[in-house]
């Protein structure tokens, strides 16, 4: 498909386990963003990539959260030792340079039990 | 902190125009106004953006006041599928400045 693809669409994990969330951006988009949205809340910025580098990691809530991007394409968001408060929808978006709009995926719904 | 202020909710009759206001009184000269919407259980969807001039595309029209301190998103003929949360965002023309999403306006289109 031509849109941003995220996998898995749903993930249920036990507290304390590690999880990996994947984002496939639109081909050719150089910028990639991760947001999360808790139930009934707005979007919270997590991290931004330009190419493979992450100039802005200011939104990562703790050192349990990390993200990488390889080949200027696919990105993985990793949450170690998950906690119940990590439960949320994790959204990925990509865009071209400049003021081009963000294109979002439909997110991964993470539930930590 | 979000730089915009929007009403938390609005209703609109199906087939009528939906006019969604946004205040951005502290907008700077090179910041754009963006509109996104989020339909339940989906990621946000880009609608339209503009700097100074009014803009129109296949989805909506964007009217920006001359002083750029406010704008209005217009859905000319609202349908039930337009029921969503609409976000107004200001952002610089510069990749890497993440969009800050405020609370948005929950638009309910009613039959």
């Amino acid at each position: 498909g031509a849109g941003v693809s995220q996998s898995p669409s749903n993930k249920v994990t036990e507290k304390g386990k590690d999880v990996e969330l994947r984002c496939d951006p639109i081909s050719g988009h150089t910028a990639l963003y991760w947001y999360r949205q808790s139930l009934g809340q707005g979007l919270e910025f997590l991290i931004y990539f330009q190419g493979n580098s992450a100039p802005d990691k200011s939104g990562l809530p703790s050192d349990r959260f990390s993200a990488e991007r390889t080949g200027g394409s696919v990105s993985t968001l990793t949450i170690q030792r998950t906690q119940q408060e990590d439960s949320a929808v994790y959204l990925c978006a990509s865009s071209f340079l400049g003021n081009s709009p963000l294109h979002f995926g439909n997110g991964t719904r993470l539930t930590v039990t | 902190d979000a730089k915009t202020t929007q009403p938390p909710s609005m209703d609109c009759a199906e087939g009528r125009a939906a006019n969604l206001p946004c205040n951005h009184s502290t907008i700077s000269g090179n910041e754009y106004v963006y509109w996104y919407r989020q339909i339940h259980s989906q990621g946000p969807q880009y609608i339209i953006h503009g700097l100074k001039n009014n803009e129109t595309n296949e989805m909506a029209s964007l009217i920006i006041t001359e002083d750029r301190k406010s704008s209005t998103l217009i859905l000319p003929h609202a349908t039930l599928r337009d029921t969503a949360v609409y976000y107004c965002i200001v952002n610089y023309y510069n990749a890497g400045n993440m969009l800050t999403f405020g609370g948005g306006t929950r638009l309910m289109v009613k039959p």
Side-chain angles (χ1 to χ4, degrees), chain B residues 10-16 18 75 77-84 86 106-111:
Chain B
M10 291 181 64
D11 290 345
C12 178
E14 187 178 18
R16 298 281 190 165
L75 308 179
H77 306 286
T79 70
L80 299 179
R81 287 176 296 180
D82 292 322
T83 293
Y86 287 77
R106 185 172 298 277
L107 175 69
M108 179 72 72
V109 180
K110 298 183 175 180

Side-chain angles (χ1 to χ4, degrees), chain A residues 31 33 35 37 41-43 45 48 50 56 58 91 96-107 109, chain B residues 32 34 36 38 40-46 49 87 92-103 106:
Chain A
Y33 304 77
Y35 287 81
Q37 188 170 33
Q41 302 297 310
L43 276 75
F45 169 78
Y48 150 76
Q50 180 56 47
D56 190 346
S58 62
L91 291 158
F96 286 115
L97 287 174
N99 70 336
S100 59
L102 270 60
H103 296 263
F104 284 83
N106 282 329
R109 181 175 298 278
Chain B
Y32 283 70
Y34 291 80
Y36 287 76
Q38 188 172 25
H40 182 62
S41 297
Q42 298 181 20
Q45 175 191 25
Y46 165 77
H49 74 283
Y87 296 99
Y92 287 104
Y93 183 103
N94 182 16
N97 285 297
M98 78 288 187
L99 300 180
T100 300
F101 287 77
R106 185 172 298 277

Side-chain angles (χ1 to χ4, degrees), chain A residues 22-100:
Chain A
R22 176 187 170 105
C23 174
D24 283 90
I26 292 174
S27 178
H29 280 191
T30 57
L32 186 147
Y33 304 77
W34 284 97
Y35 287 81
R36 77 175 174 181
Q37 188 170 33
S38 300
L39 185 63
Q41 302 297 310
L43 276 75
E44 175 189 4
F45 169 78
L46 297 179
I47 189 171
Y48 150 76
F49 286 92
Q50 180 56 47
N52 291 335
S53 63
D56 190 346
K57 303 179 182 179
S58 62
L60 293 177
S62 76
D63 59 6
R64 296 186 295 105
F65 287 72
S66 63
E68 65 175 14
R69 189 180 186 194
T70 56
S73 181
V74 173
S75 176
T76 302
L77 177 68
T78 302
I79 309 173
Q80 295 178 311
R81 306 180 302 283
T82 53
Q83 303 295 313
Q84 287 186 331
E85 60 263 29
D86 299 334
S87 296
V89 176
Y90 288 81
L91 291 158
C92 176
S94 68
S95 74
F96 286 115
L97 287 174
N99 70 336
S100 59

